[in-house]
Amino acid sequence: MRVMTFGACCSPSSAQFVKNINAERFKEQFPAAFDAITKAHYVDDMLVSIESEEEAIQLAEDVRYVHAEGGFEIRNWISNSTSVLAMLNGSSIEEKSLDLTAEMSTEKVLGMWWNTTSDMFTYKVGWSRYDSALLLGQRYHEKRGLARIDDDL
């Protein structure tokens, strides 16, 4: 195969395998990028927390390089730092634009919602299905209830 088939049951597994094999070639040259690709990636999403903007930019550039060497184009970078976004997406920040002043500037990341202003992850739950005692921690789900929630997801 020369092109990844999306939508097939095996697609996520195949993508994980190929990106990890590609990263292995650069383990010595780019150890931080190797770790990010093999431990902080799921298919085409990468989620890492970096102490400084300079380190974030360097890691992202290294990850971009490693992926490019395997023929993968990485786009749509998200950060809660405008300077990191400007460096990764170009000065116009066209691909993904974050309004860091908005009350709820959120981005969906790996099934979670990331509030870029507060730098917190949240989940959205269909609250109408749950009674207030359960939500307030006054009552707990029994095993059957938890299994039912899992089936609904």
Side-chain angles (χ1 to χ4, degrees):
M1 272 179 22
R2 295 183 55 124
V3 177
M4 181 70 198
T5 303
F6 290 97
C9 292
C10 64
S11 295
S13 177
S14 297
Q16 287 290 98
F17 178 78
V18 170
K19 74 158 182 68
N20 289 346
I21 291 294
N22 179 62
E24 184 74 35
R25 300 182 316 152
F26 298 92
K27 185 176 185 175
E28 300 298 321
Q29 188 179 3
F30 299 105
F34 170 78
D35 284 344
I37 292 169
T38 58
K39 297 177 183 172
H41 255 71
Y42 179 71
V43 187
D44 61 349
D45 285 343
M46 180 177 83
L47 183 62
V48 294
S49 179
I50 305 297
E51 290 295 320
S52 73
E53 292 174 334
E54 295 78 20
E55 290 175 290
I57 291 167
Q58 185 62 56
L59 177 62
E61 288 175 347
D62 291 350
V63 165
R64 181 182 276 166
Y65 174 80
V66 169
H67 280 315
E69 289 297 302
F72 314 117
E73 179 186 356
I74 303 301
R75 301 176 285 125
N76 298 331
W77 294 95
I78 303 287
S79 175
N80 59 349
S81 164
T82 54
S83 61
V84 171
L85 279 175
M87 289 297 294
L88 295 174
N89 290 330
S91 58
S92 64
I93 310 177
E94 295 172 11
E95 304 225 13
K96 282 279 188 172
S97 177
L98 298 181
D99 180 5
L100 298 177
T101 61
E103 184 179 9
M104 282 299 290
S105 53
T106 58
E107 294 289 333
K108 191 168 184 184
V109 178
L110 296 173
M112 301 176 288
W113 290 93
W114 174 35
N115 182 323
T116 57
T117 305
S118 65
D119 202 18
M120 293 181 67
F121 290 99
T122 59
Y123 295 93
K124 292 191 178 182
V125 179
W127 298 112
S128 62
R129 297 182 2 189
Y130 304 101
D131 61 49
S132 60
L134 180 66
L135 295 174
L136 294 172
Q138 299 166 345
R139 182 176 75 75
Y140 299 99
H141 260 303
E142 68 284 347
K143 183 178 176 183
R144 179 178 296 145
L146 290 174
R148 188 173 52 245
I149 290 171
D150 191 38
D151 289 342
D152 292 344
L153 298 176

